[in-house]
Amino acid sequence: MDKKKITAIVIAGAVLLFIIAVDLFLIMSKKQDPVESLQKSIGYADGKLQFTIPETYNDSWYIQISGRTQMEEGGVSVHYLEENSTGKSWEKNRTYSFEVQDGYSELTMFLSIDGQDTEIDLLRYLPSSK
C-alpha cells in the first residue's frame, strides 16, 4: 500500500473516532441525573435564591418550594413560585428566583420526578446570616 492510501485510512479512522466520541458525549450528557442537574444550578445572589430548570424537564415533574420562618407571633409557613408548581408551567433552561428573608427555620425544594421524591435543603445555599 502506498503512503497516500495509508494516510487516508488513518485520517478516516481519526474522523470516525472523533464522531463516535462526540456521540457518546452527547448521550452521556443527556443521561445526567435531573435532580443533580437542578441541584447544581441552585445559587444565591442579591438576596435571592435562584435555580435553572434542566433540559430533561417535562410536565410530569412536580416542584414545590416551601418553608417556615420565625416571627414574633410564632412560625409562619411560606411558599414560593406556587403558580409555576400548580400550573406545571416551568420552562426548560429558564432560571427562576425568589427573594429570601431572615429567620427561616426550614426551607426546602420538594421534587417528584418519575415517581421518585427528593427534598433539597435550600438553607444550605443561604449565607449564614439568613
Side-chain angles (χ1 to χ4, degrees), residues 42-119:
I42 299 171
Y44 173 85
D46 301 323
K48 294 181 179 186
L49 266 178
Q50 60 188 31
F51 60 93
T52 302
I53 300 296
E55 180 66 36
T56 53
Y57 170 80
N58 64 57
D59 65 3
S60 70
W61 288 32
Y62 179 74
I63 303 170
Q64 178 186 18
I65 302 165
S66 61
R68 293 195 63 75
T69 60
Q70 291 306 119
M71 308 293 257
E72 288 181 21
E73 60 274 1
V76 176
S77 179
V78 293
H79 298 270
Y80 299 100
L81 304 171
E82 284 186 291
E83 63 282 353
N84 297 95
S85 296
T86 56
K88 294 187 176 186
S89 61
W90 304 102
E91 294 178 31
K92 295 178 184 183
N93 299 316
R94 180 171 171 197
T95 299
Y96 294 86
S97 65
F98 59 93
E99 288 191 33
V100 294
Q101 54 195 343
D102 289 329
Y104 290 107
S105 57
E106 62 183 71
L107 184 61
T108 59
M109 177 184 282
F110 173 79
L111 303 168
S112 183
I113 301 172
D114 297 328
Q116 284 193 301
D117 297 343
T118 304
E119 277 193 24

Side-chain angles (χ1 to χ4, degrees), residues 18-32:
F18 177 76
I19 291 169
I20 291 170
V22 169
D23 283 346
L24 286 174
F25 173 77
L26 292 173
I27 289 168
M28 295 304 288
S29 66
K30 286 182 181 179
K31 289 190 175 194
Q32 186 176 21

Side-chain angles (χ1 to χ4, degrees), residues 7 9 14 25-27 35 37 39 107 117 125:
T7 302
I9 291 171
F25 173 77
L26 292 173
I27 289 168
V35 174
S37 295
Q39 203 162 10
L107 184 61
D117 297 343
Y125 297 94

